[in-house]
Amino acid sequence: QVQLVESGGGLVQPGGSLKLSCAASGDIRSINARGWYRQAPGKQRELVADITSFGFTNYADFVKGRFAISRDDAKNMVYLQLDSLKPEDTAVYYCKMSVRRVSLWGYNDYWGRGTQVTVSS
């Protein structure tokens, strides 16, 4: 089994910052791409940012330089630094990793359960 657990969400004022973390555990052989998604009430889940195994990053247009994704291969983690937060950034943030398990061939996507980010004054 593989488990992903997000942390770091919370309530923050507009213009504030948060750093989200996602830790993967279980029978992991290797991790390829990692990403962060978000889902606001009544809306579909959308990509925020992702990062390849080579460190190449991709961001949604609405990020506009406010967020930064990073990874720590030794710790099987991915991070998302959120700066200059806006009320419209309020959502549940989920991490996703493409994982190759020790016991299986190939890579499969795994999701965390999400962490709530609320931006409000």
Side-chain angles (χ1 to χ4, degrees):
Q1 287 283 9
V2 173
Q3 298 84 35
L4 272 60
V5 179
E6 301 97 336
S7 62
L11 173 63
V12 64
Q13 292 186 340
S17 298
L18 287 172
K19 185 172 184 177
L20 308 183
S21 301
C22 175
S25 61
D27 62 335
I28 298 170
R29 180 183 296 275
S30 61
I31 301 175
N32 196 353
R34 312 174 195 204
W36 286 95
Y37 293 72
R38 72 183 188 184
Q39 187 167 19
K43 295 187 177 181
Q44 290 188 334
R45 190 172 298 187
E46 60 184 353
L47 173 70
V48 177
D50 56 23
I51 183 168
T52 71
S53 58
F54 296 103
F56 293 109
T57 58
N58 173 54
Y59 293 94
D61 289 343
F62 60 76
V63 170
K64 294 181 180 179
R66 299 183 297 124
F67 300 169
I69 190 170
S70 60
R71 57 188 287 159
D72 185 328
D73 291 341
K75 297 180 179 179
N76 291 335
M77 296 194 68
V78 63
Y79 306 95
L80 186 68
Q81 177 68 43
L82 310 172
D83 296 321
S84 302
L85 283 161
K86 305 174 182 179
E88 52 263 43
D89 295 318
T90 295
V92 178
Y93 284 70
Y94 300 89
C95 67
K96 184 181 80 170
M97 296 191 191
S98 179
V99 177
R100 182 181 177 187
R101 294 173 58 180
V102 172
S103 56
L104 297 175
W105 290 100
Y107 285 86
N108 291 284
D109 289 339
Y110 293 85
W111 291 85
R113 293 189 174 186
T115 184
Q116 176 71 45
V117 172
T118 302
V119 185
S120 176
S121 56

